[in-house]
Amino acid sequence: MADPLKIFNIVGARPNLVKIAPLMREMCKHASVQPVLVHTGQHYDENLSNIFFRQMGIPEPHINLGVGSGTHAEQTGEILKRVEPILLEQQPDLVLVVGDVNSTIAVSLAAVKMGIAVAHVEAGLRSFDRSMPEEINRILTDALAEYLFVTEEDAVDNLLREGRPREFIHLVGNVMIDSLLHFLPFAQQSRIGDELGLRNGKGWQSFGVLTLHRPSNVDSTEKLSELLGAIDAIAQRVPIVFPVHPRTQQRLSQDGIKHHPQLRLIQPLGYLDFLCLLSKATLALTDSGGIQEETTALGVPCLTLRENTERPVTVSQGTNVLVGTDPARIVGAAQDVLSGMRKAGRIPPLWDGHAAERIVEILLRTVPCRKSAQGIT
Ligand code: UD1
């Protein structure tokens, strides 16, 4: 029997964990695959990393590079330096990366220079805004990867326009939605609604969920104060729960920005508590990429506090509205939702909980052929 395919699966930051969970689960079902989990250590806090492993049943990483925080160059460079000797020693058949964080591009670059094929899950998404670090990571990773696993049609067009070969591109659906559908029944058992006083004997009250962590929104005191001013106006009507990302917390602590008492700042939440809240929310306000997709899958109205999105299907088919960062526009759009003017949405094609199965099936069918074509047995 041929040796199993050795696949290195790379995670670094919180959203990567949600995407890798169904892929690891699927790979572990096949004796012909040897999945190796590599954590770069880009995120390391209990609430940004460890709790996701426990709640989502992700196996302990086989390798942790322990890079921690730093500037973009420091973080990317440190990952490159630390992963190269491991790739050299372990010689995986394939490196699989997800999303658009610094860990994604760093490991892809190290692998491809050693002749190791790279698979990119969530390929082809483009905001067309090169001031976003993630956009640079997306473009570069897609230029290197040989397997481009795509969540939506627009992404296929973007990749073809950039000259990527049609045979590299596979429209497979969305692994983040695989996780959502798998874990939703468990999330419904969360006690977070009682803990936050959002649920009583009669059920859930109306509330909003807010997340903000994009550098363009939170790294400037002026911008962050302006956005929170808009949220304060919405919080006069309904409580808004705001799990605060460490990047945002740093700015809030430094500058002592004040907020309405109904805007409830809490620690970052684990996956199940957050999914529970999101599924019961009247409204989500966010600058995250993943939450735009999760609200579309849940049918919850989402206002995205950005001028652009790399996930246009959530606007064209889902419940997402791009409201930008103008306070008057944010407040107006939120008032509309709270008054019952909700945008109807539908679930995009293939967001059905089976994306990881499709990805693993394609890899099992094609990676061995690639190996034998290269004379590797
Ligand atoms: C990173 C990703 C972003 C993703 C986000 C999800 C890049 C370029 N950015 O942004 O695309 O949406 O993760 O959360 O890769 N920190 C902690 N604890 C941690 C990790 C970080 O306190 O476990 C603090 C550090 O002070 C650090 C700051 O958060 O400087 C930012 O972390 P970093 O990984 O650089 O970027 P994120 O903003 O988290």
Side-chain angles (χ1 to χ4, degrees), residues 13-15 41-46 48-49 68-70 72 75 100-103 133-134 137 213-215 245-247 250 288-289:
R14 176 171 62 178
Q42 177 173 347
H43 283 179
Y44 42 83
D45 277 355
E46 165 65 20
L48 293 196
S49 181
S69 302
H72 286 279
Q75 207 167 50
D100 53 16
V101 303
N102 286 343
S103 304
E134 294 81 3
N137 294 342
H213 77 286
R214 290 277 153 232
H245 187 281
R247 174 186 282 281
Q250 279 168 15
S288 146

Side-chain angles (χ1 to χ4, degrees), residues 351-363:
W351 290 22
D352 58 359
H354 299 288
E357 283 163 45
R358 295 186 191 103
I359 290 169
V360 174
E361 187 275 317
I362 292 167
L363 294 177

Side-chain angles (χ1 to χ4, degrees), residues 23-187:
L23 286 160
M24 286 297 290
R25 217 171 37 243
E26 184 60 27
M27 285 184 199
C28 288
K29 289 182 192 159
H30 297 269
S32 50
V33 181
Q34 182 195 350
V36 177
L37 187 62
V38 181
H39 195 332
T40 64
Q42 177 173 347
H43 283 179
Y44 42 83
D45 277 355
E46 165 65 20
N47 284 1
L48 293 196
S49 181
N50 303 350
I51 191 171
F52 285 75
F53 279 87
R54 284 198 308 278
Q55 292 193 336
M56 306 185 88
I58 307 170
E60 278 283 301
H62 300 87
I63 298 162
N64 193 324
L65 304 178
V67 296
S69 302
T71 64
H72 286 279
E74 282 166 352
Q75 207 167 50
T76 311
E78 207 51 51
I79 297 169
L80 269 164
K81 263 178 14 202
R82 293 189 193 194
V83 81
E84 186 181 54
I86 295 167
L87 292 174
L88 203 55
E89 188 204 315
Q90 300 251 344
Q91 296 291 330
D93 297 307
L94 181 93
V95 164
L96 181 146
V97 296
V98 295
D100 53 16
V101 303
N102 286 343
S103 304
T104 311
I105 175 58
V107 180
S108 301
L109 185 53
V112 106
K113 290 216 166 169
M114 296 173 67
I116 301 168
V118 172
H120 184 204
V121 174
E122 212 181 65
L125 298 178
R126 297 289 179 270
S127 65
F128 303 100
D129 173 2
R130 288 197 178 211
S131 70
M132 285 179 80
E134 294 81 3
E135 181 74 353
I136 307 297
N137 294 342
R138 289 189 279 259
I139 294 169
L140 296 180
T141 305
D142 287 338
L144 302 177
E146 205 168 302
Y147 288 89
L148 297 162
F149 293 115
V150 168
T151 53
E152 55 174 280
E153 282 286 352
D154 305 88
V156 175
D157 299 340
N158 294 335
L159 291 167
L160 291 173
R161 199 174 332 103
E162 289 172 17
R164 304 304 287 139
R166 160 76 66 186
E167 63 273 19
F168 285 13
I169 305 169
H170 309 273
L171 181 58
V172 289
N174 192 325
V175 286
M176 193 165 237
I177 305 308
D178 287 8
S179 274
L180 182 146
L181 295 174
H182 181 82
F183 286 105
L184 196 54
F186 302 98

